[in-house]
């Protein structure tokens, strides 16, 4: 049974930063083919914002380039998303995901977390 658990969300002021974390049971984040962060704002489609492959290749959506950093701690087997210079458009539920190649696409995801809310005011 695979479980992905996100943490680190909250309410922050515009211009601030947050670091989201994702821990897993039932799979190994450090060796899974593709790990991703998605977000979904009310009334909008779920968007893949950053991915990290087991070969350390990264992908960032245009909305996050220059502000988002995806990383992992192999010793803790934890995935992170650092979000800098937050703005109101970043308000969304953020999800950790594990999937196949191009896992910034929702149809490439095998497992989803339950999400952590980020609210920017």
């Amino acid at each position: 049974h695979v479980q992905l658990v996100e943490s680190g969300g909250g309410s922050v002021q515009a211009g601030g930063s947050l670091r989201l974390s994702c821990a897993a049971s039932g799979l190994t984040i450090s060796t899974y083919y593709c790990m991703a962060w998605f977000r979904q704002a009310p009334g909008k489609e779920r968007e893949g914002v950053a991915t990290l492959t087991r070969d350390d290749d990264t992908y960032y959506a245009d909305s996050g380039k220059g502000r988002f950093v995806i990383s992992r701690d192999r010793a803790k087997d934890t995935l992170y998303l650092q979000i800098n210079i937050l703005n109101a458009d970043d308000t969304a539920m953020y999800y950790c995901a594990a999937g196949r190649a191009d896992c910034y696409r929702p149809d490439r995801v095998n497992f989803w977390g339950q999400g952590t809310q980020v609210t920017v005011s």
Side-chain angles (χ1 to χ4, degrees):
H1 175 66
V2 173
Q3 190 172 18
L4 299 174
V5 179
E6 304 91 339
S7 61
S11 296
V12 295
Q13 291 188 338
S17 299
L18 275 179
R19 189 178 76 161
L20 308 182
S21 301
C22 173
S25 59
L27 66 80
T28 302
I29 286 175
S30 298
T31 59
Y32 207 85
Y33 187 85
C34 186
M35 298 298 301
W37 286 97
F38 284 76
R39 69 183 183 184
Q40 189 168 22
K44 294 188 177 181
E45 293 186 353
R46 193 168 293 193
E47 172 193 25
V49 295
T51 69
L52 177 64
T53 72
R54 64 186 177 198
D55 297 324
D56 294 330
D57 294 321
T58 57
Y59 159 88
Y60 294 98
D62 287 344
S63 57
K65 285 181 181 176
R67 299 190 302 119
F68 291 9
V69 180
I70 188 170
S71 63
R72 64 173 158 243
D73 184 322
R74 293 185 184 276
K76 296 181 179 179
D77 201 39
T78 300
L79 185 73
Y80 301 103
L81 183 70
Q82 177 73 33
I83 311 174
N84 300 316
I85 318 176
L86 282 152
N87 60 65
D89 290 338
D90 296 319
T91 295
M93 186 71 78
Y94 283 73
Y95 299 89
C96 176
R100 309 180 292 284
D102 299 328
C103 70
Y104 60 86
R105 292 168 39 182
D107 64 333
R108 305 295 293 177
V109 171
N110 297 326
F111 303 105
W112 294 97
Q114 292 299 306
T116 186
Q117 177 69 37
V118 173
T119 302
V120 184
S121 59

